[in-house]
């Protein structure tokens, strides 16, 4: 009796990320739905990738066994390199487990899936008030020294507040 062979076929019906903007060092989940379009139950190896066109990262791998015409959501977490910036695409590849990386049977990409931004940080190094003691109706000058701790130039809004017991009053702001 001749043995029938069934082609290994699958589709990736969507690719998404759990956030659209992250900073270096944070994690992002890459999620996709894989559907078995074969006529028999199959095991599939799933690989999720992230690229900015220059650098490509394997976000993670998973293995799923699917009945014919069934699908499953897969999700892998990728820790963004601390020095990463810019726009990244995410994609998912599907392989039959017995094939190598060149035996891809399905793939789907989401362009501009995430944007990695440089976090803007500043340190308030000092604040002085002059005069330190005032009466109702008197004016107070606040002077703050703010250091940009981000490697890029940034503009910050500094807001002055004065607290007297349980009450806090905004006394001015400057950029």
């Amino acid at each position: 009796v001749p043995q029938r062979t069934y082609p290994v076929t699958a589709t990736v019906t969507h690719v998404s990320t759990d956030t659209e903007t992250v900073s270096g060092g944070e994690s992002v989940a890459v999620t996709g739905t894989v559907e078995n379009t074969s006529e028999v139950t199959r095991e599939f190896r799933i690989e999720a990738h992230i690229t900015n066109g220059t650098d490509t990262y394997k976000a993670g791998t998973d293995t799923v066994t699917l009945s014919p015409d069934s699908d499953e959501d897969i999700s892998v977490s990728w820790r963004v390199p601390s020095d990463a910036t810019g726009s990244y695409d995410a994609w998912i590849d599907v392989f039959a487990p017995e094939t190598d990386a060149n035996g891809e049977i399905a793939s789907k990409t989401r362009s501009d899936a995430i944007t990695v931004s440089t976090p803007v940080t500043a340190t308030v190094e000092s604040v002085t008030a002059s005069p330190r003691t005032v009466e109702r109706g008197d004016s107070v000058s606040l002077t703050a020294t703010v250091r940009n701790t981000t490697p890029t130039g940034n503009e910050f809004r500094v807001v002055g507040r004065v607290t007297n017991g349980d009450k806090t009053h905004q006394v001015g702001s400057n950029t």
Side-chain angles (χ1 to χ4, degrees), residues 25-83:
E26 295 179 342
S27 292
V28 61
V30 179
T31 304
T33 303
V34 177
E35 180 181 359
N36 178 2
T37 55
S38 299
E39 296 179 34
V40 295
T41 298
R42 291 282 185 185
E43 181 179 76
F44 298 97
R45 187 178 81 244
I46 315 300
E47 293 182 1
H49 299 269
I50 303 286
T51 186
N52 63 1
T54 302
D55 300 311
T56 299
Y57 304 93
K58 185 185 286 186
T61 61
D62 198 358
T63 302
V64 295
T65 301
L66 298 172
S67 302
D69 298 319
S70 67
D71 60 30
E72 186 169 326
D73 291 335
I74 61 101
S75 184
V76 296
S77 181
W78 177 58
R79 179 163 298 282
V80 179
S82 60
D83 61 346

Side-chain angles (χ1 to χ4, degrees), residues 75-125:
S75 184
V76 296
S77 181
W78 177 58
R79 179 163 298 282
V80 179
S82 60
D83 61 346
T85 59
S87 181
Y88 286 76
D89 297 339
W91 82 88
I92 292 179
D93 292 326
V94 179
F95 302 90
E98 62 273 8
T99 63
D100 62 15
N102 295 323
E104 173 187 306
I105 58 174
S107 184
K108 186 166 186 88
T109 300
R110 177 167 177 226
S111 296
D112 299 324
I114 59 170
T115 299
V116 181
S117 62
T118 303
V120 176
T121 56
T123 303
V124 177
E125 295 186 342

Side-chain angles (χ1 to χ4, degrees), residues 135-148:
E135 300 294 326
R136 179 180 290 277
D138 289 350
S139 294
V140 176
S141 292
L142 295 176
T143 303
T145 302
V146 179
R147 180 171 308 279
N148 177 11

